[in-house]
Amino acid sequence: MSKPTVLFVCVHNAGRSQMAAGFLQSLAGDRIDVLSAGSQPADQINPMAVEAMREVGIDIAGEQPKVLTTESVQASDVVITMGCGDECPYFPGKRYEDWKLDDPAGQGLEAVRPIRDEIRGRIEELIASLV
């Protein structure tokens, strides 16, 4: 089987999807290709998401929010949405999951940590299902 590609999508591509991509890259290494995007990307990554990930040894500070494209969805085997609703394009034959997660936007570090930890648990389950 070829290496699977996972795309994480949220509205701003500044918090949840960036943390998920950071965890998947860190935990899966080169076994899975990782993409992330937003339907309305922010100007920068949420600094609380960066700090929360830094606490667990993962640096996402150099990432930039990216716009969701049809091509990125087509290139992916698994598309994981996080609150982007109907703005995410749908293609038959792809595996879609919608993760209900609190939005870290505007939250302090104390509120972002449990979101980060929930994302990590979901990433570990995702890796187990793909490799």
Side-chain angles (χ1 to χ4, degrees):
M1 180 179 156
S2 64
K3 181 165 44 169
T5 299
V6 175
L7 169 63
F8 296 102
V9 183
C10 66
V11 176
H12 298 119
N13 189 221
R16 295 166 289 189
S17 57
Q18 291 286 354
M19 289 191 288
F23 272 127
L24 187 56
Q25 287 171 329
S26 175
L27 298 173
D30 63 0
R31 297 177 293 167
I32 298 171
D33 286 330
V34 182
L35 303 172
S36 71
S39 53
Q40 299 169 26
D43 294 332
Q44 65 180 20
I45 293 188
N46 179 334
M48 289 299 109
V50 172
E51 182 59 31
M53 293 299 285
R54 185 175 290 130
E55 288 181 347
V56 295
I58 299 172
D59 183 9
I60 61 170
E63 297 298 326
Q64 273 299 120
K66 295 167 278 307
V67 67
L68 177 64
T69 64
T70 300
E71 293 77 24
S72 63
V73 177
Q74 287 176 315
S76 300
D77 300 296
V78 180
V79 179
I80 297 176
T81 59
M82 304 172 179
C84 67
D86 296 332
E87 297 183 39
C88 300
Y90 179 83
F91 292 95
K94 305 286 180 194
R95 174 176 156 190
Y96 286 85
E97 293 184 19
D98 185 44
W99 290 1
K100 304 284 187 218
L101 297 162
D102 291 336
D103 189 348
Q107 303 287 335
L109 193 54
E110 291 298 320
V112 174
R113 286 181 182 126
I115 300 168
R116 173 202 64 202
D117 296 343
E118 183 175 348
I119 290 170
R120 182 185 186 121
R122 290 176 185 234
I123 292 298
E124 290 169 347
E125 291 173 12
L126 177 67
I127 292 169
S129 75
L130 291 174
V131 295

